[in-house]
Amino acid sequence: MATIRRTGPSLADVIRDMRDVPARVMPYAAATALTKAAKHGQRAVIEQMPQAFRNPVAYTLNATRIEVATKDKLSARIVVKDQRAGGTRPESFLLPEVQGGPRAEKGFERALRFAGILMSGERAMPGAGLALDANGNVPASMVRTILRQVTRGGAGQKRAAGGIFAGAVGRKQTRGVWQREGRRIKPLFIFTQNQPVYRPRLDFTGAAAAAVRENFASDFYAAAQSLRRKFA
């Protein structure tokens, strides 16, 4: 997502200030400094996450990785992981928060759609009767409970007392997932044709670039001096 080649003082500017460093050392020093700069940028992005998100979980804080620079490829990158660890891919939930745009379909929604409960184009939005966890997310245990109950009998499952069911409720025939509590029915999820759209909240590039500008020159100098001693 963020590629670190050079920023602030250019590579040429930094090199001009180090005439005592052998030329053969420069590509190695540049690669080391660029990788360190990317790591500084990654830390800056992580530090900004609690300001952008409500109590981000470890999965979110660990959603980025570094592609290191080499002497033959003088660029390092901070990228969002594209592999899931039993849940949603980090790129699926983090990229819309950085770039803005429509939310990707969640695994919960895919399961409902596969069961014939969620119609084409519909999204499931948390309802007023759903308790979120401290991080503002739907607890995984609740998702499993809902899926187990609503898919057991398909879209026409029995509305048992105290049970969770999917269907249309009320005069407006509002579609969603509901829970019966005595004579009361509370909404857990509401189905809507309006696709959720995120506004950019995390200044990924800005946070990374500021950290790189602050640290690149000193990282390059330290790497060059260290390597010069090794090559001496």
Side-chain angles (χ1 to χ4, degrees):
M1 289 187 60
T3 300
I4 312 301
R5 292 188 177 88
R6 59 178 177 81
T7 186
S10 71
L11 207 53
D13 292 336
V14 175
I15 290 172
R16 277 196 298 270
D17 293 335
M18 300 181 186
R19 298 185 183 278
D20 59 333
V21 178
R24 69 181 185 277
V25 170
M26 291 301 182
Y28 297 96
T32 299
L34 288 166
T35 299
K36 284 188 175 181
K39 291 179 179 179
H40 286 303
Q42 182 186 42
R43 282 194 293 272
V45 170
I46 293 171
E47 289 171 359
Q48 193 187 86
M49 285 182 178
Q51 302 171 35
F53 309 133
R54 174 186 171 186
N55 299 327
V57 298
Y59 190 60
T60 300
L61 296 173
N62 296 322
T64 60
R65 62 181 176 86
I66 300 295
E67 290 183 356
V68 302
T70 68
K71 70 179 184 64
D72 299 313
K73 181 182 72 72
L74 291 178
S75 67
R77 300 183 69 214
I78 310 165
V79 298
V80 177
K81 297 174 182 176
D82 59 0
Q83 298 297 318
R84 73 181 75 194
T88 305
R89 289 186 181 91
E91 66 177 5
S92 296
F93 66 80
L94 193 57
L95 285 178
E97 301 285 4
V98 175
Q99 301 171 349
R103 168 175 71 72
E105 185 177 61
K106 295 185 176 182
F108 172 69
E109 292 167 325
R110 285 192 294 273
L112 291 177
R113 203 178 308 285
F114 182 77
I117 295 171
L118 200 63
M119 294 181 179
S120 176
E122 283 186 328
R123 289 289 189 269
M125 302 296 292
L130 185 66
L132 304 179
D133 64 19
N135 303 106
N137 300 317
V138 181
S141 58
M142 175 57 74
V143 171
R144 289 192 294 270
T145 297
I146 290 173
L147 287 175
R148 185 169 58 251
Q149 292 202 32
V150 302
T151 60
R152 182 177 298 163
Q157 73 278 53
K158 185 179 179 180
R159 302 184 181 188
I164 296 172
F165 65 94
V169 168
R171 293 180 181 177
K172 296 183 178 180
Q173 290 292 282
T174 302
R175 286 175 40 76
V177 175
W178 312 85
Q179 184 170 27
R180 184 181 296 278
E181 292 185 337
R183 300 182 62 181
R184 179 172 171 264
I185 295 176
K186 65 179 184 180
L188 301 181
F189 283 93
I190 299 298
F191 299 162
T192 176
Q193 289 284 345
N194 297 321
Q195 189 172 14
V197 176
Y198 291 116
R199 60 175 178 81
R201 290 199 291 172
L202 177 64
D203 186 7
F204 191 107
T205 302
V212 171
R213 280 194 298 270
E214 182 178 351
N215 293 284
F216 177 75
S218 59
D219 285 341
F220 187 95
Y221 181 79
Q225 295 302 322
S226 176
L227 287 166
R228 185 183 66 167
R229 289 190 291 272
K230 291 181 181 179
F231 277 87

